[in-house]
Amino acid sequence: MEKFWLEITHECKQSGARTGILHTPHGDVLTPMFMPVGTLATVKFLSPEEIEEIQSGVILSNTYHLWLRPGDEIVRDAGGLHTFMNVKNPILTDSGGFQVFSLSDSRKITEEGVTFKNHLNGDTMMLSPEKSIQIQNNLGADIIMSFDECPPFPATHEYMKASVERTLRWAQRGKDAHQRPHDQALFGIVQGGEYEDLREYSAKTLVDMDFPGYSIGGTSVGETKEVLYRMVDYSVKWLPKDKPRYLMGVGSTDAILEGVLRGIDMFDCVLPTRIARHGTLMSNQGRINIRNAKYERDFGPLDPECDCYTCKNYSRAYLRHLIRCDEGLGQRLLSIHNLRFLIKLTEDIRQAINEDRFLDFKNEYFKKHKLNSIDSRGF
RNA sequence: GGGGGGGUAGCGAAGUGGCUAAACGCGGUUGACUGUAAAUCAAUUCUCUCCGAGUUCGGCGGUUCGAAUCCGUCCCCCCCCA
């Protein structure tokens, strides 16, 4: 697809990490990048102007949720997600594969697809590779995902092997069903859990199918950081250098740094926005729970080192007050901060890579935030 | 002056002889959250403590093996009539 490609701009001589420009039908974005999640065609509480202000690149939305409400055909008839949402950013839609995982109580996986009861009214529904792609074609995102099974962790090798093979067949079916390859980049998703041979098999098979980008899935499902990094290592080594690599569902600071070191270009995570709504902030002073009594009379900024709108204009005491009163402005302001915090991290990461000092940068960041490479919450 | 209702933990409110340190809600405190069924969820919230112990249900005094619950009395609050 001529409208979509990754232009590698620099490879860090110190670490091997890379920066790039991802060209999309809705503009260029710099990698490595962090993508805010807006499942229901909205990054919860943020206006398009605020999304722009935090310097966000790609934003996410979700096949399953928009299929249920308002319906993908309505989004299509509205002119597609960009018009519907009034955003200029490139958009990526997830395939619904993760929802199959999280709705596992009421699902049945077959070769054809997944039968499940939806979470709104319990209706029995069927999502298949073809259906997922069809919905995503209607939604009109710049980047769309293959319909995969996101297997639980841990899973036996036997289970994982069958799951990977099925997901690969689903990837081919989705590719065959894709109606808009000229303006929507369909990514393949590497699975295989923590098993090196299955990750290799999954990655190699997908690469043979030739996708414009590759995701690493089956992550952020309860595995330790050590396992996560192995999953990434086992997957990335088989992926072509000139295609974007997307580590799905990962968004803590430590994992972003470790991921970039391993050659990841794209990250997404609900963590920053969700914990923000719940009163927890990522900051250069460490983790902050703004509801804590100790901030009652703290009239200083949330994070003096942060350049976001919230930190430039509001005090901890006021933000605490808003959150405790369940005021939407509080959830908005804290979401702005956490997203900007992570996006600023990716800006710093890109600069460090371009200056061939990413390894130093990562080590200093870990030292400053008392992180380690194995198990850390990362903020 | 007459008649009626009521005082339970920070607040509201159940309980009306033992299973009650006392439901539930709010408020308070703390924690969790990773391709969003999440403005959600969990723990904790009389006192001292490790199990455990000690004081509670307006005050005081009784009945009883045992009382927030029964009786007497006092204090306070609300409503209606004069």
Side-chain angles (χ1 to χ4, degrees), chain A residues 126-140:
Chain A
M126 156 69 100
L127 199 52
S128 65
E130 291 82 7
K131 182 67 184 174
S132 174
I133 297 298
Q134 181 197 335
I135 295 167
Q136 295 187 80
N137 285 163
N138 283 335
L139 295 174

Side-chain angles (χ1 to χ4, degrees), chain A residues 257-274:
Chain A
L257 288 159
E258 293 284 355
V260 167
L261 184 62
R262 290 164 168 77
I264 300 295
D265 307 298
M266 306 161 67
F267 301 86
D268 83 285
C269 196
V270 304
L271 192 66
T273 42
R274 179 180 292 166

Side-chain angles (χ1 to χ4, degrees), chain A residues 40-334:
Chain A
L40 283 160
T42 169
V43 178
K44 293 184 190 298
F45 286 95
L46 297 205
S47 69
E49 291 72 22
E50 287 161 337
I51 291 171
E52 204 166 315
E53 178 165 336
I54 61 174
Q55 298 288 299
S56 180
V58 176
I59 59 175
L60 253 70
S61 207
N62 189 276
T63 298
Y64 166 77
H65 294 275
L66 296 180
W67 179 34
L68 294 187
R69 289 185 306 196
D72 51 295
E73 292 181 359
I74 287 176
V75 174
R76 178 197 62 199
D77 295 347
L81 266 180
H82 297 86
T83 306
F84 191 52
M85 294 171 65
N86 185 38
V87 297
K88 300 187 183 75
N89 308 59
I91 298 175
L92 181 156
T93 45
D94 188 24
S95 63
F98 187 77
Q99 280 62 47
V100 169
F101 164 76
S102 62
L103 295 165
S104 62
D105 288 344
S106 56
R107 70 161 185 209
K108 186 180 174 197
I109 302 174
T110 64
E111 184 61 28
E112 173 60 19
V114 180
T115 307
F116 61 95
K117 295 186 190 312
N118 78 46
H119 71 283
L120 295 177
N121 60 12
D123 277 359
T124 299
M125 304 180 80
M126 156 69 100
L127 199 52
S128 65
E130 291 82 7
K131 182 67 184 174
S132 174
I133 297 298
Q134 181 197 335
I135 295 167
Q136 295 187 80
N137 285 163
N138 283 335
L139 295 174
D142 302 87
I143 304 168
I144 66 179
M145 290 297 124
S146 294
F147 185 66
D148 65 333
E149 182 195 348
C150 181
F153 179 87
T156 63
H157 188 278
E158 183 186 12
Y159 180 95
M160 192 63 76
K161 185 165 188 289
S163 171
V164 163
E165 287 172 344
R166 183 171 47 221
T167 288
L168 288 170
R169 290 191 292 273
W170 286 0
Q172 184 61 56
R173 280 166 54 188
K175 197 165 186 288
D176 294 342
H178 189 17
Q179 297 295 305
R180 298 176 59 176
H182 54 287
D183 68 346
Q184 289 188 291
L186 172 62
F187 278 29
I189 304 179
V190 180
Q191 291 288 355
E194 61 181 319
Y195 302 108
E196 188 167 12
D197 59 320
L198 295 180
R199 286 280 171 186
E200 176 181 347
Y201 172 62
S202 177
K204 281 182 170 175
T205 309
L206 288 170
V207 171
D208 285 345
M209 293 182 206
D210 189 25
F211 287 91
Y214 298 92
S215 305
I216 297 170
T219 50
S220 291
V221 290
E223 76 282 6
T224 64
K225 288 282 165 66
E226 183 268 331
V227 170
L228 168 64
Y229 302 146
R230 277 201 287 119
M231 289 172 167
V232 174
D233 286 333
Y234 296 161
S235 305
V236 168
K237 66 191 289 190
W238 307 108
L239 297 176
K241 286 201 166 184
D242 62 342
K243 297 288 174 64
R245 302 151 176 174
Y246 163 28
L247 181 55
M248 307 184 83
V250 170
S252 58
T253 53
D254 58 332
I256 288 176
L257 288 159
E258 293 284 355
V260 167
L261 184 62
R262 290 164 168 77
I264 300 295
D265 307 298
M266 306 161 67
F267 301 86
D268 83 285
C269 196
V270 304
L271 192 66
T273 42
R274 179 180 292 166
I275 67 176
R277 291 195 303 280
H278 300 165
T280 302
L281 287 314
M282 303 170 167
S283 88
N284 289 295
Q285 292 76 51
R287 189 189 184 89
I288 292 176
N289 186 335
I290 202 66
R291 294 186 324 240
N292 287 175
K294 60 185 173 187
Y295 301 118
E296 185 177 20
R297 302 183 62 80
D298 188 336
F299 303 116
L302 190 55
D303 180 352
E305 297 175 46
C306 177
D307 64 359
C308 84
Y309 170 75
T310 303
C311 290
K312 283 190 290 192
N313 293 288
Y314 299 93
S315 68
R316 289 176 172 182
Y318 181 62
L319 296 168
R320 173 176 190 268
H321 161 70
L322 291 178
I323 284 292
R324 279 160 44 93
C325 294
D326 201 23
E327 279 293 337
L329 179 61
Q331 288 154 317
R332 175 192 299 270
L333 293 172
L334 297 190

